[in-house]
Amino acid sequence: MTIKKLILRNWRNFQTVEVELEQRVFVAGPNASGKSNLLDVFAFLRDIAKAGGGLQKAVSERGGLSKLRCLAARRYPDVEVEVHVADNGTTWSYAIGIKQETRGYRLPLLAYERVMKGDETILTRPNDEDKADPLRLSQTHLEQINANAKFRDLVRFFESISYLHLVPQLLRHPEAFSGPGVPGDPFGKSFLEKVARTPEATRRSRLGRIEAALRIAVPQLKELKHTKDEAGIPHLEAVYEHWRPHGARQREDQFSDGTLRLLGLLWSLLEGDSLLLLEEPELSLNAGIVRKLPGLMYRLQRQKRRQIIISTHSPDLLSDPGIGGEEVLLLTPSNEGTHVALASSLSDVRDLLEGGLTIAEAALPKTVPPSVGQLDLFE
Amino acid sequence: MNGPIPINIAVEDALTESLLFKLLNTLPNLYAPRTIYNRGGNGYLRRNVNGFNLAARGTPFLIGTDLDRYECPPRLIEDWLLQPKHHNLLLRVAVRQAEAWVLADKENFAAFLGIRPSMIREDVESIQDAKRELIQLAARSRRRVLREDICPPLHSTRRVGPNYNARLAAFIQQLWDPNAARQRAASLSRTIDRLLAFRPTWLRAGGT
């Protein structure tokens, strides 16, 4: 399944958004323009749909509706999310509007919820039952098994969306960051447990492929494998070749930041076939490796037909001539919220691409804040 | 077309960017700078100039480069452009380097460095390596912080000091006077005249 279109209203930085999405999407914009918040829309749908999730939890985990609502929202305060999903010739659409209860607990309530399959309306709320019992509007049908049978495929798709922003320090020293952890483990704190839970054969084949790719970046590394220590705690181990004939065994706490990030990135690319959200995959990686990432992602996604949405600041990542303007979303902040446009929809970017510039050269300069020269005066 | 003319800027280095930006800002309400294309180096600019020429039909482009080894600006333009230059492409060449435009405002620059104005040459456009000249002048500055910022340390591989760009950018933003500088730099004077006279042609309604 692939998300073909995203429509937002008053979501975080964005007052209105309506964009078409490709199989691979690169999100570029200045700092604090809302790249992560744009990715978070999909994680939000996942959090509603997943087991133990739901609308109330998804909203309260994000600090309540007042934090979700765009600061530029004025007369029309509802937060709205709509996605169009293509699945082997069928087009689904899911749309919700969320408002806040005006009194009492000030719960987030559904202004509406709609599911379409092709031209057929599968669900439209509020319905008569909702009118008879308004508290029903505090839950979506997406989160209810006995109400979503007709669009279960869509629910499954949302549930399996994954988000990755691996923080090497968390993976290396999980004991130093106690507490319940973040739902979905986006930062890789329990990455090793996830590897340990994977069936043996799958794990071995994945680690084998990852090792082959890792060796290009870190030529001295070999025999990447999964082990358990005396206390039963899972680890990743590899032989690091040096002048001694047998090299040295090293565990993940000795791996470099770049090695760990590349490892996590490759693992998540190989895992699952649903939408994958990647946050700045270029971090800690050598520019030469970063330039190879788009091609690598394409090859790995082609086998699984999965969609990947990537936020990035990296000119190296976007210098791949195989990236099209229709794959790049440019975010431009303004007083009325951040504006989102496909790079290919801007005539000057199209002309520059036609003139032989790479997407990095043609589009990234548009994401530099206009007052950046002021930094020269900063002492 | 009423109101300021939207214009994109493409340059090969931070110094040229500061100079062009200052120029556009000193012209009263004539231009609204949009995007700055500066990914470093003469090679970048030269490789992409034909793309900028194409995109100029939508939004005017102001390109700033150094003459360096070419004998004259028309030779450089002829060499760089594959297609005829679009009317909206303003390709301006500093003779021989952007640093010459900085030195051309000798009173302000001498005051900034704390040296005598007479130490700066009058014929800035005939200096072969204006960057080196500027650094040698800065080395004689009475202010140590400027010497350390602008001049490369002895035995270093770098050509400029660690804070060269930001120091000169601050000078250009705050003190540099284009009208004084144009008296000694003909290429700057021509650039200002061109910017004052330029009216874009709009192929697409409303541009971008």
Side-chain angles (χ1 to χ4, degrees), chain A residues 315 351 357 361 365 373 376-377, chain B residues 36 39 47 57 169 173 204:
Chain A
D351 285 340
L357 275 74
E361 290 167 334
D376 285 333
L377 302 178
Chain B
I36 296 168
R39 298 218 46 85
R47 191 172 69 245
R57 63 187 179 190
Q173 282 184 46
R204 298 194 193 97

Side-chain angles (χ1 to χ4, degrees), chain A residues 44 47 54-65 67-68 107-108:
Chain A
F44 179 70
D47 290 349
L55 177 68
Q56 297 303 317
K57 196 162 178 226
V59 172
S60 73
E61 273 170 3
R62 286 166 175 76
L65 195 64
K67 285 205 180 165
L68 280 188
L107 291 175

Side-chain angles (χ1 to χ4, degrees), chain A residues 87-100:
Chain A
D87 177 30
N88 296 328
T90 331
T91 310
W92 292 91
S93 81
Y94 181 79
I96 48 172
I98 310 165
K99 59 185 180 184
Q100 195 158 37

Side-chain angles (χ1 to χ4, degrees), chain A residues 102-139:
Chain A
T102 45
R103 59 187 76 195
Y105 295 107
R106 304 189 61 84
L107 291 175
L109 293 180
L110 288 174
Y112 62 85
E113 182 180 23
R114 271 195 310 269
V115 181
M116 305 269 291
K117 184 182 185 181
D119 297 331
E120 185 192 352
T121 304
I122 304 275
L123 172 74
T124 176
R125 296 177 67 195
N127 52 23
D128 295 340
E129 287 164 302
D130 296 324
K131 283 168 194 152
D133 177 10
L135 198 60
R136 287 170 57 97
L137 290 173
S138 65
Q139 296 189 341

Side-chain angles (χ1 to χ4, degrees), chain B residues 52-140:
Chain B
F52 297 139
N53 193 24
L54 200 61
R57 63 187 179 190
T59 309
F61 259 86
L62 171 61
I63 299 185
T65 184
D66 294 348
L67 183 64
D68 285 329
R69 272 170 218 88
Y70 287 93
E71 61 260 39
C72 64
R75 274 287 298 132
L76 179 145
I77 294 172
E78 187 186 316
D79 200 33
W80 277 26
L81 287 175
L82 302 172
Q83 266 106 37
K85 193 179 81 59
H86 191 279
H87 172 78
N88 289 350
L89 185 82
L90 306 176
L91 181 51
R92 304 312 308 181
V93 184
V95 179
R96 297 201 154 253
Q97 282 157 329
E99 277 82 355
W101 289 6
V102 176
L103 295 176
D105 181 11
K106 66 191 275 183
E107 281 76 25
N108 283 323
F109 194 61
F112 168 71
L113 286 182
I115 57 175
R116 274 177 287 112
S118 59
M119 287 161 78
I120 303 177
R121 280 170 61 170
E122 280 293 324
D123 53 341
V124 289
E125 292 206 326
S126 52
I127 304 174
Q128 277 300 321
D129 190 344
K131 178 174 262 174
R132 212 167 90 203
E133 178 89 10
L134 189 152
I135 288 169
Q136 281 166 357
L137 286 168
R140 299 165 73 180

